[in-house]
Every structure is written in C-alpha cells, then in structure tokens.
Amino acid sequence: MAIQCDCGFSNADGAYFCESCGQPLTEDSALHVAVRACKVCGAPNMPAADRCAQCGAVLPVVIFREKNESKRGAKSRNRAAKLIVTEDNSIYELSAEKEIIIGRTDTQSQSYPDLDLTLHHGDDGGVSRIHARIWRENGAYFIEDQRSTNNTYVNNQRLEPFHPTALRNGDILRLGKVELVFEYVDSADS
Amino acid sequence: MSEATLRITSHPTREPLPITQTAQMVYSIAEIQAPIQPAPARPMNIAFVIDRSGSMKGIRLIALKEALRRAVDMLDSEDFCSIVTFDDMVDVLVPSQKTADGAHLQNAIGIIEEGGGTMLSLGVSMGLAELEKHAHESFAQRMILIIDGASHNDEQYCADLFAKAAQMGVIIDVLGIGAEWDDLLLLNAVSSTGSPLFSFIMNLPEIEQELVKRVVAAKATAAQNIKAQITCVPGVELQHISRVAPQLVIYRQLKTPEDDSQTLQFGAAAYASRIILLIETMVEPRKAGSFRLAKISAEYMLSDGTLGLQQTDVVVRFSAGVAKRPHTDPLSLYYIQRVNAARIIVRALQEKAPEPVTISEGIVKLFDGEGRELLQMLRSGSVITPETRKKLLLKTSALTLQRPAPVSTEREQADYGNSM
C-alpha cells in the first residue's frame, strides 16, 4: 500500500522518508537518529560501539554523565535547561525536543534564529547571523559553533567550528562578546 | 579466508519483513572490508592532466606549478609518471616514464604556459593513452586532473572516456580550481571510476595540500579496481545503489530499473577501511519464509597483483506475524535518511531552470549553518551559482560523516583519500 506524504507524493510501501521532499514517513524514521561519531575519521557508528568500524579508532566514552545518574535515572535525563544572558539576566528556556539556533536577525538575508541576540547587543557584539546551535542528545545538551566570524567560547575555550561540545551546569558561553550562562532548570539539586 | 583478501557481508536493515499485498521497498546494507595487514607499497602509474587554458594565467599557474613540483617529488623511482597539458590543443609534456630523473620532471613543469580554451576530452584521452603504456595489474593507476574551466561540446565524449578509465581500473581524481568548471560532468568522472569526490579549490594554497593528499592516498592502496555486481532475483527490482562510506556517492543509474543486474566501480580501498553500500530494492509480495533477494559479487585486485573474488547473498525473512513494523537499526536508518536527502538535493541541482523545491525541515537540519543558507536558496528557487552548487555537492557528499574528517597526519590523509 502506498504511503502518502503531506507534500502529495505517493511513496512505496516500506519507504522511511518521502522520496520527493525527505519528510519522515514512519514512527522510527521520525525519531532523531543517534549514532556515535568517530573523532578521527568522522564516520558514524552504532550507539553501543566502542571502536570505529571505519578506521578502528577508540570511540570516546560517553561525553556527558550526570552525577549519580544511576540513582536518579530517567528523571535526570529529562531535565530542562536554560540560558541566562549575563548582561541583563534574560532567561531563555531550552527545548528538549528541538535544537535551537543562536544568532541575530537579519531581514535582508532572511535570517531568523530561534534565539535572537540582537536585543542583547548581538549586532555590535560580533554575533553572526547563524552563530551556534544547541541541542539535547541522550540526556545531555551540546553546543556547536556554526563557523561564526567571532567564534564561540565555553569557559574561555574557543570551540572549533562544527565540533559538538557537551555543556555542564554553570558553563559560561561567549558568542562574540555576548556572554550567557548555561544552567539546568533544577540546578539547585545538582 | 586469507587476511589479504577483501571481505564482503550484507544484511537487510530490518527483519522480519511483513507479508504485504503489494510490492514493498526493502533496504539492505553491504560492506566490503579491506585487508588489515599492510602489504609492501605498490608502484604507481600516474598521469597528471593539467588544464593550461588562458584562465590559468598568473598566480593560478604559479601555484599549480609549485604544487606539481611537490607532488612529483613524492614519487618513488619505480613509479611511472606522465604529464599532459591541454587547452584546446593537447601536449604530452612528459611521456609515461619512470621518475628516476626528477630534474627532467621539474624542468618540464617549469615550461608550462597558459593559452587557449578548454577541451577536456583531449586531456583525458591523452592521459589515458599514457597510462595504457605501462598499465599493470599490480600498479596503482591514477589520473589526477586539474581543471579551472568548463569544456564545451565534448561532454558525451568525456563521459565515454570516464567509462573507459573505469574499465581500465584508473581512478580519476579531480581538483577543480575556482567555480567555473563543470561539476556535474566531473561528478560522473569521480563516481564512475571510484574516486573520492572532487576537490573544490577557492584558495590557491590548497592546490598543493589537495594534490599531496591524493598522491599519499594513491600510495596507500590495499586493493584497487574494486567492482561489485549486484544481481537481483526475479520479482526483485533494483531501485538505487549508493555508497555511504567512506563518503556518500549517489551513483547514476547505469541501466534501466528493469535490469536485474548492475556493476559499479568502487575504485580503491585503504588498509582496514570499509566500503559500505545501501541497496534499495522493490520486492514483489512474498510468502512467509527466508528468500534470497540478490547476489553481490565483488571483484578486486590486491596489491601483489592477484585477482580476488568474493560473493554474498542478501537474504531476508518474511513473516505473517509482523503486526508492527520491526525496529530498524539506527545506523541503517541514518544512512537511508542521508541518501534520500542527497538524492533530492542532487536532483534539484541538476534542474536546468531554477524553481522552488520542497525540501523538508528534517533535511535542512542535517546541514551546518552555511549549508542551511545554501539549501534555503534551493528551496526558494533562487538562481544557483556554480560556486553554490559545488559547495552544496560537497556538503551533501559529507552527509554520512558526522563531521568533516580532520586531515593533519599522513595516516589520516591516506585514509581520507584512498578509501573513497
């Protein structure tokens, strides 16, 4: 039986993604596909792999582990997080399901990031239109610089473009000159 | 099985499959694993085919000559090397010969001068003729094509020459300088001969870096002239074959979908590397039980010149008791998603006239910031410049990598280039 996509294209039975527009067609294809990246060759690996199947390099141990995670189990995995702009204490809740793009609005180039730092002096603070992205994976939040002009820093360490870095409670992020603090919403008990 | 051979395995991406009333898509993964133990380096038979058209004038030609000097310096005295230059005429600057006389090669590079238009087929044809002079099963056979302009009215002849190169087991590496060369034509060259994707060079110092990378890769060849034939059984229609590792390549359909057999050239493999294929088939309704869907035969030449042949069957189980769709392993799903995305993007880029393209948010999220901006242009039907198209093709080819591989050591360079 054909699978009809929202875009109107009729896909063959058994297809996972729409052949015409790429939209997921099944429950499992709609989920975020989590694989483990090799730091040496960049190849994806099965989530449980300990060595890269492509180049044989040892894969990093789980980058982020909550304190006492085994005791707190699922509760800690579902913790929400927020970003606080240091300058004016504005708070932005981070979505657990959806990645967010941080940058500044530019109507000419049609750039509308999820978290717009224009109001926080992003423009003269050297924030790029698409500066960094933050997302959650396996219970941890990650940040990745999007090859911004003035770089992204975590605790004064410059991030390489497109290299994901796990975030910890209280980390200080700097995008250009704009400073933000990453905190878990229930950080009081962490 | 000897450790010096390639190993080939395959499996469906989910099992068991439900019994359906109509045909269903079935995805399978095949892996070709290169030997782990390094063998002595094989001699190379290499041709540098250089576009010397008028647009190369000035610093481009200066940078190119410097890069070429460095590359020929890296060759061993037992390697065969030729240098062919072309514009709308062709010259064999250095006929195929052993590279013992390095000074002769360096002098020849020094006299390259620009002038004329670009007739790619002349250069490729003469480069192949030089390679044929010392073609040997145990040699790593490479053509390194450096070009900065588009060829005119010889596209079909070029395509025929790329097919001939594939038959000869010659890998064509393409280094494109600037944005004006024909990426879609040369995509055919690299995919049909099993080369890694072309290099897109906007900064001239990168010429040397890219050229060195390709020569290092050629030197670390474990097996070459790898061909895989995929033959489907009756009732199974081959839809697509894609290479997903080490780098994504969407192959042009070589025959009509009704043909039950396809042979593809996968070039060379570095030690311990894997070539992974995603095979998409349309399967007519089946009864419960296990069935062979296809046979995969891989033929290759090892570094000592011996021919290897491995076969595997793609077997899948159908069951009436499958109420819910069975779980698909995450890595397979990862590949299926990215191959589908790449196919949509490449198809849109091949459209002659720009028009808005529907591309889902899920695809956009696979790209970095710059890639998203480029995709936005494609979605809105903006005119796609040659530079944009090349960038998008390169980013698309990296979709099955979690991030671009760092190239900082010789070992990594060898893996990067040779295994693709």
Short mmCIF file of all heavy atoms in Angstrom, two decimals, chain B residues 141-143 161-174 186-198 214 217-218 221 223-228 243 245-252 254 263-270 273-275 277 415-420:
data_model
loop_
_atom_site.label_atom_id
_atom_site.label_comp_id
_atom_site.label_asym_id
_atom_site.label_seq_id
_atom_site.Cartn_x
_atom_site.Cartn_y
_atom_site.Cartn_z
N GLN B 141 46.82 2.75 -10.34
CA GLN B 141 46.64 3.57 -11.56
C GLN B 141 45.77 4.79 -11.27
O GLN B 141 44.62 4.65 -10.88
CB GLN B 141 46.00 2.73 -12.65
CG GLN B 141 46.78 1.45 -12.90
CD GLN B 141 46.68 1.03 -14.34
OE1 GLN B 141 47.42 1.48 -15.21
NE2 GLN B 141 45.73 0.15 -14.60
N ARG B 142 46.34 5.94 -11.46
CA ARG B 142 45.64 7.19 -11.14
C ARG B 142 45.80 8.21 -12.24
O ARG B 142 46.88 8.33 -12.83
CB ARG B 142 46.21 7.83 -9.88
CG ARG B 142 46.06 7.03 -8.64
CD ARG B 142 44.75 7.32 -7.98
NE ARG B 142 44.52 6.34 -6.93
CZ ARG B 142 43.87 6.58 -5.80
NH1 ARG B 142 43.40 7.76 -5.56
NH2 ARG B 142 43.69 5.64 -4.91
N MET B 143 44.73 8.97 -12.46
CA MET B 143 44.86 10.19 -13.24
C MET B 143 44.46 11.33 -12.30
O MET B 143 43.41 11.28 -11.68
CB MET B 143 43.91 10.19 -14.44
CG MET B 143 43.98 11.49 -15.24
SD MET B 143 42.76 11.59 -16.56
CE MET B 143 43.28 10.28 -17.64
N LEU B 161 35.00 8.52 -22.10
CA LEU B 161 36.38 8.34 -21.61
C LEU B 161 36.40 7.96 -20.13
O LEU B 161 37.22 7.15 -19.70
CB LEU B 161 37.18 9.63 -21.84
CG LEU B 161 37.51 9.95 -23.29
CD1 LEU B 161 38.06 11.37 -23.43
CD2 LEU B 161 38.52 8.95 -23.85
N PHE B 162 35.47 8.52 -19.35
CA PHE B 162 35.40 8.16 -17.93
C PHE B 162 35.04 6.67 -17.80
O PHE B 162 35.57 5.96 -16.93
CB PHE B 162 34.37 9.00 -17.18
CG PHE B 162 34.65 10.49 -17.23
CD1 PHE B 162 33.61 11.41 -17.19
CD2 PHE B 162 35.95 10.96 -17.33
CE1 PHE B 162 33.86 12.78 -17.24
CE2 PHE B 162 36.21 12.33 -17.39
CZ PHE B 162 35.17 13.23 -17.34
N ALA B 163 34.13 6.22 -18.67
CA ALA B 163 33.74 4.80 -18.65
C ALA B 163 34.94 3.92 -19.02
O ALA B 163 35.16 2.85 -18.44
CB ALA B 163 32.58 4.56 -19.60
N LYS B 164 35.72 4.39 -19.99
CA LYS B 164 36.92 3.63 -20.40
C LYS B 164 37.92 3.57 -19.25
O LYS B 164 38.51 2.52 -18.97
CB LYS B 164 37.56 4.31 -21.62
CG LYS B 164 38.78 3.58 -22.13
CD LYS B 164 39.44 4.33 -23.28
CE LYS B 164 40.74 3.63 -23.69
NZ LYS B 164 41.50 4.39 -24.68
N ALA B 165 38.09 4.71 -18.56
CA ALA B 165 39.00 4.74 -17.40
C ALA B 165 38.56 3.73 -16.35
O ALA B 165 39.38 3.00 -15.78
CB ALA B 165 39.05 6.15 -16.81
N ALA B 166 37.24 3.67 -16.11
CA ALA B 166 36.72 2.73 -15.12
C ALA B 166 37.05 1.29 -15.53
O ALA B 166 37.45 0.48 -14.70
CB ALA B 166 35.21 2.91 -14.98
N GLN B 167 36.91 1.01 -16.81
CA GLN B 167 37.22 -0.34 -17.29
C GLN B 167 38.70 -0.67 -17.12
O GLN B 167 39.07 -1.80 -16.84
CB GLN B 167 36.86 -0.43 -18.78
CG GLN B 167 35.38 -0.72 -18.99
CD GLN B 167 35.14 -1.32 -20.36
OE1 GLN B 167 35.91 -1.04 -21.29
NE2 GLN B 167 34.10 -2.12 -20.50
N MET B 168 39.54 0.35 -17.30
CA MET B 168 40.98 0.14 -17.16
C MET B 168 41.41 0.06 -15.69
O MET B 168 42.57 -0.24 -15.40
CB MET B 168 41.76 1.30 -17.81
CG MET B 168 41.71 1.32 -19.33
SD MET B 168 42.36 2.90 -19.97
CE MET B 168 44.04 2.90 -19.35
N GLY B 169 40.50 0.40 -14.79
CA GLY B 169 40.86 0.41 -13.37
C GLY B 169 41.61 1.68 -12.99
O GLY B 169 42.32 1.70 -11.99
N VAL B 170 41.43 2.72 -13.79
CA VAL B 170 42.10 4.00 -13.50
C VAL B 170 41.15 4.87 -12.67
O VAL B 170 40.01 5.10 -13.07
CB VAL B 170 42.45 4.76 -14.80
CG1 VAL B 170 42.98 6.15 -14.49
CG2 VAL B 170 43.46 3.96 -15.61
N ILE B 171 41.61 5.33 -11.53
CA ILE B 171 40.82 6.26 -10.72
C ILE B 171 41.13 7.67 -11.19
O ILE B 171 42.30 8.03 -11.35
CB ILE B 171 41.18 6.11 -9.23
CG1 ILE B 171 40.76 4.72 -8.74
CG2 ILE B 171 40.55 7.21 -8.39
CD1 ILE B 171 41.22 4.41 -7.33
N ILE B 172 40.09 8.46 -11.44
CA ILE B 172 40.32 9.85 -11.83
C ILE B 172 40.03 10.76 -10.64
O ILE B 172 38.89 10.87 -10.19
CB ILE B 172 39.44 10.25 -13.04
CG1 ILE B 172 39.73 9.35 -14.24
CG2 ILE B 172 39.67 11.72 -13.40
CD1 ILE B 172 38.95 9.70 -15.50
N ASP B 173 41.07 11.38 -10.13
CA ASP B 173 40.91 12.38 -9.06
C ASP B 173 40.78 13.75 -9.72
O ASP B 173 41.57 14.09 -10.61
CB ASP B 173 42.16 12.40 -8.16
CG ASP B 173 42.19 11.20 -7.23
OD1 ASP B 173 41.12 10.66 -6.92
OD2 ASP B 173 43.30 10.80 -6.82
N VAL B 174 39.80 14.52 -9.27
CA VAL B 174 39.57 15.82 -9.89
C VAL B 174 39.84 16.93 -8.88
O VAL B 174 39.28 16.93 -7.79
CB VAL B 174 38.11 15.93 -10.40
CG1 VAL B 174 37.84 17.33 -10.94
CG2 VAL B 174 37.83 14.88 -11.46
N LEU B 186 32.03 16.32 -14.03
CA LEU B 186 33.15 15.68 -13.33
C LEU B 186 32.71 14.83 -12.15
O LEU B 186 33.43 13.94 -11.71
CB LEU B 186 34.17 16.74 -12.93
CG LEU B 186 34.87 17.30 -14.17
CD1 LEU B 186 35.65 18.56 -13.87
CD2 LEU B 186 35.78 16.26 -14.79
N LEU B 187 31.50 15.06 -11.69
CA LEU B 187 30.92 14.16 -10.69
C LEU B 187 30.79 12.77 -11.29
O LEU B 187 31.01 11.75 -10.64
CB LEU B 187 29.53 14.69 -10.29
CG LEU B 187 28.87 14.10 -9.06
CD1 LEU B 187 29.71 14.32 -7.83
CD2 LEU B 187 27.48 14.72 -8.86
N ASN B 188 30.46 12.75 -12.57
CA ASN B 188 30.39 11.48 -13.31
C ASN B 188 31.76 10.81 -13.35
O ASN B 188 31.88 9.61 -13.15
CB ASN B 188 29.86 11.79 -14.72
CG ASN B 188 29.80 10.56 -15.60
OD1 ASN B 188 29.99 9.44 -15.14
ND2 ASN B 188 29.56 10.77 -16.88
N ALA B 189 32.81 11.63 -13.57
CA ALA B 189 34.17 11.06 -13.63
C ALA B 189 34.55 10.40 -12.32
O ALA B 189 35.07 9.29 -12.30
CB ALA B 189 35.19 12.16 -13.96
N VAL B 190 34.28 11.09 -11.22
CA VAL B 190 34.72 10.54 -9.94
C VAL B 190 33.86 9.36 -9.52
O VAL B 190 34.36 8.37 -8.99
CB VAL B 190 34.79 11.62 -8.83
CG1 VAL B 190 35.79 12.69 -9.17
CG2 VAL B 190 33.44 12.24 -8.55
N SER B 191 32.54 9.45 -9.75
CA SER B 191 31.70 8.35 -9.29
C SER B 191 31.87 7.11 -10.16
O SER B 191 31.83 5.99 -9.67
CB SER B 191 30.23 8.75 -9.20
OG SER B 191 29.71 9.04 -10.47
N SER B 192 32.10 7.29 -11.46
CA SER B 192 32.23 6.10 -12.30
C SER B 192 33.58 5.42 -12.15
O SER B 192 33.72 4.24 -12.44
CB SER B 192 31.95 6.43 -13.77
OG SER B 192 32.84 7.41 -14.23
N THR B 193 34.60 6.15 -11.68
CA THR B 193 35.91 5.50 -11.51
C THR B 193 36.22 5.18 -10.05
O THR B 193 37.26 4.62 -9.75
CB THR B 193 37.06 6.37 -12.08
OG1 THR B 193 37.16 7.56 -11.31
CG2 THR B 193 36.82 6.72 -13.53
N GLY B 194 35.31 5.53 -9.14
CA GLY B 194 35.52 5.18 -7.74
C GLY B 194 36.44 6.13 -7.00
O GLY B 194 37.00 5.79 -5.97
N SER B 195 36.57 7.33 -7.51
CA SER B 195 37.42 8.32 -6.84
C SER B 195 36.65 8.95 -5.69
O SER B 195 35.43 8.90 -5.65
CB SER B 195 37.79 9.41 -7.84
OG SER B 195 38.39 10.49 -7.21
N PRO B 196 37.36 9.56 -4.72
CA PRO B 196 36.65 10.42 -3.79
C PRO B 196 36.07 11.60 -4.57
O PRO B 196 36.40 11.81 -5.73
CB PRO B 196 37.74 10.90 -2.84
CG PRO B 196 39.02 10.61 -3.51
CD PRO B 196 38.78 9.50 -4.47
N LEU B 197 35.22 12.35 -3.94
CA LEU B 197 34.61 13.48 -4.62
C LEU B 197 35.68 14.49 -5.03
O LEU B 197 36.77 14.50 -4.48
CB LEU B 197 33.58 14.15 -3.71
CG LEU B 197 32.60 15.06 -4.43
CD1 LEU B 197 31.68 14.27 -5.32
CD2 LEU B 197 31.81 15.90 -3.45
N PHE B 198 35.34 15.32 -6.01
CA PHE B 198 36.31 16.32 -6.47
C PHE B 198 36.70 17.26 -5.34
O PHE B 198 35.97 17.44 -4.38
CB PHE B 198 35.74 17.13 -7.63
CG PHE B 198 34.34 17.63 -7.42
CD1 PHE B 198 34.08 18.64 -6.53
CD2 PHE B 198 33.29 17.09 -8.15
CE1 PHE B 198 32.79 19.12 -6.35
CE2 PHE B 198 32.00 17.56 -7.96
CZ PHE B 198 31.75 18.57 -7.06
N ARG B 214 46.12 13.51 -2.44
CA ARG B 214 45.75 12.49 -3.43
C ARG B 214 46.92 11.54 -3.72
O ARG B 214 46.72 10.36 -3.92
CB ARG B 214 45.28 13.15 -4.74
CG ARG B 214 44.11 14.11 -4.58
CD ARG B 214 42.87 13.41 -4.09
NE ARG B 214 41.78 14.34 -3.86
CZ ARG B 214 40.56 14.24 -4.35
NH1 ARG B 214 40.26 13.22 -5.13
NH2 ARG B 214 39.63 15.11 -4.07
N ALA B 217 47.33 9.22 -0.79
CA ALA B 217 46.25 8.23 -0.81
C ALA B 217 46.56 7.13 -1.82
O ALA B 217 46.37 5.94 -1.55
CB ALA B 217 44.93 8.91 -1.14
N ALA B 218 47.03 7.53 -2.99
CA ALA B 218 47.33 6.53 -4.04
C ALA B 218 48.41 5.56 -3.57
O ALA B 218 48.39 4.38 -3.91
CB ALA B 218 47.77 7.25 -5.31
N THR B 221 47.35 2.19 -1.23
CA THR B 221 46.27 1.36 -1.77
C THR B 221 46.41 -0.10 -1.31
O THR B 221 47.42 -0.74 -1.56
CB THR B 221 46.31 1.41 -3.31
OG1 THR B 221 46.20 2.77 -3.70
CG2 THR B 221 45.16 0.63 -3.92
N ALA B 223 43.72 -2.43 -1.99
CA ALA B 223 43.10 -3.16 -3.10
C ALA B 223 42.55 -2.12 -4.05
O ALA B 223 42.16 -1.03 -3.64
CB ALA B 223 41.98 -4.05 -2.59
N GLN B 224 42.55 -2.44 -5.31
CA GLN B 224 42.04 -1.47 -6.28
C GLN B 224 41.22 -2.16 -7.34
O GLN B 224 41.08 -3.38 -7.34
CB GLN B 224 43.18 -0.68 -6.91
CG GLN B 224 44.10 -1.53 -7.78
CD GLN B 224 45.13 -0.68 -8.50
OE1 GLN B 224 45.28 0.50 -8.23
NE2 GLN B 224 45.83 -1.29 -9.43
N ASN B 225 40.69 -1.33 -8.23
CA ASN B 225 39.81 -1.83 -9.28
C ASN B 225 38.69 -2.69 -8.68
O ASN B 225 38.39 -3.78 -9.17
CB ASN B 225 40.63 -2.64 -10.31
CG ASN B 225 39.97 -2.60 -11.68
OD1 ASN B 225 38.93 -1.97 -11.85
ND2 ASN B 225 40.55 -3.30 -12.64
N ILE B 226 38.14 -2.19 -7.59
CA ILE B 226 37.08 -2.94 -6.90
C ILE B 226 35.78 -2.73 -7.66
O ILE B 226 35.33 -1.60 -7.83
CB ILE B 226 36.92 -2.46 -5.45
CG1 ILE B 226 38.24 -2.58 -4.70
CG2 ILE B 226 35.82 -3.24 -4.74
CD1 ILE B 226 38.24 -1.89 -3.36
N LYS B 227 35.22 -3.84 -8.11
CA LYS B 227 33.94 -3.76 -8.83
C LYS B 227 32.95 -4.64 -8.08
O LYS B 227 33.30 -5.74 -7.64
CB LYS B 227 34.07 -4.31 -10.25
CG LYS B 227 34.88 -3.43 -11.17
CD LYS B 227 35.04 -4.12 -12.51
CE LYS B 227 36.04 -3.36 -13.37
NZ LYS B 227 36.56 -4.16 -14.46
N ALA B 228 31.75 -4.16 -7.94
CA ALA B 228 30.72 -5.01 -7.33
C ALA B 228 29.57 -5.15 -8.31
O ALA B 228 29.10 -4.17 -8.88
CB ALA B 228 30.24 -4.39 -6.03
N ARG B 243 26.84 4.50 -2.39
CA ARG B 243 27.94 4.24 -1.45
C ARG B 243 27.77 5.22 -0.30
O ARG B 243 27.64 6.43 -0.55
CB ARG B 243 29.28 4.46 -2.15
CG ARG B 243 30.47 4.03 -1.32
CD ARG B 243 31.76 4.27 -2.04
NE ARG B 243 32.06 5.70 -2.12
CZ ARG B 243 33.09 6.22 -2.77
NH1 ARG B 243 33.91 5.42 -3.43
NH2 ARG B 243 33.31 7.50 -2.79
N ALA B 245 29.78 4.98 2.71
CA ALA B 245 31.05 5.13 3.42
C ALA B 245 32.16 4.63 2.50
O ALA B 245 31.93 3.72 1.73
CB ALA B 245 31.06 4.34 4.73
N PRO B 246 33.33 5.22 2.58
CA PRO B 246 33.75 6.29 3.48
C PRO B 246 33.09 7.63 3.17
O PRO B 246 33.11 8.52 4.00
CB PRO B 246 35.26 6.38 3.26
CG PRO B 246 35.63 5.15 2.56
CD PRO B 246 34.45 4.72 1.79
N GLN B 247 32.54 7.84 2.01
CA GLN B 247 31.90 9.11 1.71
C GLN B 247 30.72 8.83 0.80
O GLN B 247 30.73 7.88 0.03
CB GLN B 247 32.89 10.06 1.03
CG GLN B 247 32.41 11.49 0.99
CD GLN B 247 33.51 12.43 0.51
OE1 GLN B 247 34.50 12.00 -0.05
NE2 GLN B 247 33.32 13.70 0.74
N LEU B 248 29.72 9.67 0.90
CA LEU B 248 28.47 9.44 0.16
C LEU B 248 28.64 9.68 -1.34
O LEU B 248 29.13 10.73 -1.75
CB LEU B 248 27.40 10.37 0.73
CG LEU B 248 26.00 10.30 0.14
CD1 LEU B 248 25.41 8.92 0.33
CD2 LEU B 248 25.11 11.32 0.81
N VAL B 249 28.23 8.71 -2.13
CA VAL B 249 28.20 8.88 -3.59
C VAL B 249 26.88 8.32 -4.09
O VAL B 249 26.53 7.18 -3.82
CB VAL B 249 29.35 8.11 -4.29
CG1 VAL B 249 29.21 8.23 -5.80
CG2 VAL B 249 30.70 8.64 -3.87
N ILE B 250 26.14 9.17 -4.77
CA ILE B 250 24.90 8.72 -5.41
C ILE B 250 25.26 8.33 -6.83
O ILE B 250 25.69 9.16 -7.62
CB ILE B 250 23.87 9.88 -5.46
CG1 ILE B 250 23.60 10.41 -4.06
CG2 ILE B 250 22.59 9.45 -6.15
CD1 ILE B 250 22.85 9.47 -3.17
N TYR B 251 25.12 7.08 -7.15
CA TYR B 251 25.50 6.64 -8.49
C TYR B 251 24.40 6.93 -9.48
O TYR B 251 23.22 6.78 -9.19
CB TYR B 251 25.82 5.15 -8.49
CG TYR B 251 27.09 4.87 -7.76
CD1 TYR B 251 27.08 4.38 -6.47
CD2 TYR B 251 28.31 5.16 -8.34
CE1 TYR B 251 28.24 4.16 -5.78
CE2 TYR B 251 29.49 4.95 -7.64
CZ TYR B 251 29.44 4.44 -6.37
OH TYR B 251 30.60 4.25 -5.68
N ARG B 252 24.80 7.32 -10.65
CA ARG B 252 23.84 7.44 -11.75
C ARG B 252 23.37 6.03 -12.06
O ARG B 252 24.13 5.07 -11.97
CB ARG B 252 24.53 8.00 -12.99
CG ARG B 252 24.89 9.45 -12.87
CD ARG B 252 26.01 9.78 -13.81
NE ARG B 252 25.64 9.51 -15.20
CZ ARG B 252 25.36 10.47 -16.07
NH1 ARG B 252 25.38 11.72 -15.71
NH2 ARG B 252 25.07 10.18 -17.32
N LEU B 254 23.04 3.16 -14.16
CA LEU B 254 23.78 2.80 -15.37
C LEU B 254 22.87 2.14 -16.40
O LEU B 254 23.13 2.20 -17.58
CB LEU B 254 24.92 1.85 -15.00
CG LEU B 254 25.89 2.40 -13.96
CD1 LEU B 254 26.98 1.40 -13.67
CD2 LEU B 254 26.50 3.71 -14.41
N THR B 263 26.64 -3.31 -12.37
CA THR B 263 28.03 -3.41 -11.93
C THR B 263 28.56 -2.00 -11.70
O THR B 263 28.40 -1.13 -12.55
CB THR B 263 28.89 -4.12 -13.00
OG1 THR B 263 28.33 -5.41 -13.22
CG2 THR B 263 30.32 -4.28 -12.53
N LEU B 264 29.14 -1.80 -10.54
CA LEU B 264 29.66 -0.48 -10.20
C LEU B 264 31.12 -0.56 -9.83
O LEU B 264 31.59 -1.55 -9.27
CB LEU B 264 28.88 0.10 -9.03
CG LEU B 264 27.41 0.42 -9.30
CD1 LEU B 264 26.70 0.78 -8.02
CD2 LEU B 264 27.29 1.56 -10.29
N GLN B 265 31.83 0.51 -10.15
CA GLN B 265 33.27 0.59 -9.89
C GLN B 265 33.47 1.37 -8.58
O GLN B 265 32.95 2.47 -8.44
CB GLN B 265 33.94 1.32 -11.06
CG GLN B 265 35.38 1.66 -10.88
CD GLN B 265 36.28 0.45 -10.81
OE1 GLN B 265 36.67 0.05 -9.72
NE2 GLN B 265 36.62 -0.13 -11.95
N PHE B 266 34.18 0.80 -7.64
CA PHE B 266 34.38 1.47 -6.36
C PHE B 266 35.82 1.90 -6.14
O PHE B 266 36.21 2.23 -5.02
CB PHE B 266 33.92 0.58 -5.21
CG PHE B 266 32.46 0.30 -5.27
CD1 PHE B 266 31.99 -0.94 -5.63
CD2 PHE B 266 31.55 1.30 -5.01
CE1 PHE B 266 30.64 -1.19 -5.72
CE2 PHE B 266 30.20 1.07 -5.09
CZ PHE B 266 29.74 -0.19 -5.44
N GLY B 267 36.63 1.86 -7.18
CA GLY B 267 37.99 2.38 -7.07
C GLY B 267 38.87 1.56 -6.16
O GLY B 267 38.95 0.34 -6.28
N ALA B 268 39.51 2.23 -5.21
CA ALA B 268 40.49 1.57 -4.35
C ALA B 268 40.06 1.67 -2.90
O ALA B 268 39.20 2.46 -2.54
CB ALA B 268 41.85 2.25 -4.53
N ALA B 269 40.68 0.82 -2.08
CA ALA B 269 40.39 0.87 -0.65
C ALA B 269 41.71 0.90 0.12
O ALA B 269 42.66 0.20 -0.23
CB ALA B 269 39.58 -0.36 -0.23
N ALA B 270 41.74 1.72 1.17
CA ALA B 270 42.92 1.75 2.04
C ALA B 270 42.85 0.59 3.01
O ALA B 270 41.80 -0.01 3.19
CB ALA B 270 42.95 3.08 2.80
N SER B 273 39.99 -0.23 5.75
CA SER B 273 38.82 0.62 5.53
C SER B 273 37.65 -0.21 5.03
O SER B 273 37.81 -1.36 4.64
CB SER B 273 39.16 1.72 4.53
OG SER B 273 39.34 1.15 3.26
N ARG B 274 36.49 0.39 5.06
CA ARG B 274 35.30 -0.31 4.59
C ARG B 274 34.59 0.52 3.53
O ARG B 274 34.50 1.74 3.65
CB ARG B 274 34.31 -0.52 5.73
CG ARG B 274 34.76 -1.48 6.79
CD ARG B 274 33.67 -1.64 7.81
NE ARG B 274 33.17 -0.36 8.28
CZ ARG B 274 32.02 -0.20 8.92
NH1 ARG B 274 31.24 -1.22 9.14
NH2 ARG B 274 31.64 0.99 9.34
N ILE B 275 34.08 -0.16 2.53
CA ILE B 275 33.16 0.48 1.60
C ILE B 275 31.78 -0.04 2.00
O ILE B 275 31.57 -1.25 2.10
CB ILE B 275 33.47 0.09 0.14
CG1 ILE B 275 34.84 0.66 -0.26
CG2 ILE B 275 32.39 0.59 -0.81
CD1 ILE B 275 35.34 0.16 -1.60
N LEU B 277 27.67 -0.02 1.18
CA LEU B 277 26.67 0.29 0.15
C LEU B 277 25.28 0.19 0.73
O LEU B 277 25.00 -0.69 1.57
CB LEU B 277 26.77 -0.72 -1.00
CG LEU B 277 28.13 -0.96 -1.63
CD1 LEU B 277 28.02 -2.03 -2.71
CD2 LEU B 277 28.65 0.33 -2.22
N ASP B 415 43.95 7.64 4.68
CA ASP B 415 42.60 7.11 4.87
C ASP B 415 41.59 7.94 4.11
O ASP B 415 40.69 7.42 3.48
CB ASP B 415 42.22 7.16 6.36
CG ASP B 415 42.91 6.05 7.11
OD1 ASP B 415 43.45 5.16 6.44
OD2 ASP B 415 42.90 6.08 8.35
N TYR B 416 41.78 9.24 4.20
CA TYR B 416 40.79 10.13 3.60
C TYR B 416 40.69 9.90 2.10
O TYR B 416 39.63 9.67 1.56
CB TYR B 416 41.18 11.59 3.86
CG TYR B 416 40.38 12.56 3.05
CD1 TYR B 416 39.10 12.93 3.42
CD2 TYR B 416 40.91 13.06 1.87
CE1 TYR B 416 38.36 13.79 2.64
CE2 TYR B 416 40.17 13.94 1.09
CZ TYR B 416 38.90 14.30 1.48
OH TYR B 416 38.17 15.15 0.70
N GLY B 417 41.81 9.95 1.48
CA GLY B 417 41.75 9.92 0.03
C GLY B 417 41.55 8.54 -0.53
O GLY B 417 40.66 8.29 -1.32
N ASN B 418 42.33 7.62 -0.05
CA ASN B 418 42.40 6.35 -0.75
C ASN B 418 41.18 5.49 -0.57
O ASN B 418 40.86 4.68 -1.40
CB ASN B 418 43.62 5.59 -0.23
CG ASN B 418 44.08 4.58 -1.23
OD1 ASN B 418 44.12 4.89 -2.41
ND2 ASN B 418 44.37 3.41 -0.78
N SER B 419 40.53 5.66 0.56
CA SER B 419 39.45 4.75 0.84
C SER B 419 38.13 5.20 0.24
O SER B 419 37.12 4.64 0.49
CB SER B 419 39.31 4.60 2.35
OG SER B 419 39.11 5.86 2.91
N MET B 420 38.13 6.26 -0.54
CA MET B 420 36.86 6.75 -1.05
C MET B 420 36.62 6.37 -2.50
O MET B 420 37.50 6.26 -3.25
CB MET B 420 36.81 8.24 -0.90
CG MET B 420 36.65 8.61 0.53
SD MET B 420 36.76 10.35 0.73
CE MET B 420 37.29 10.45 2.38
#
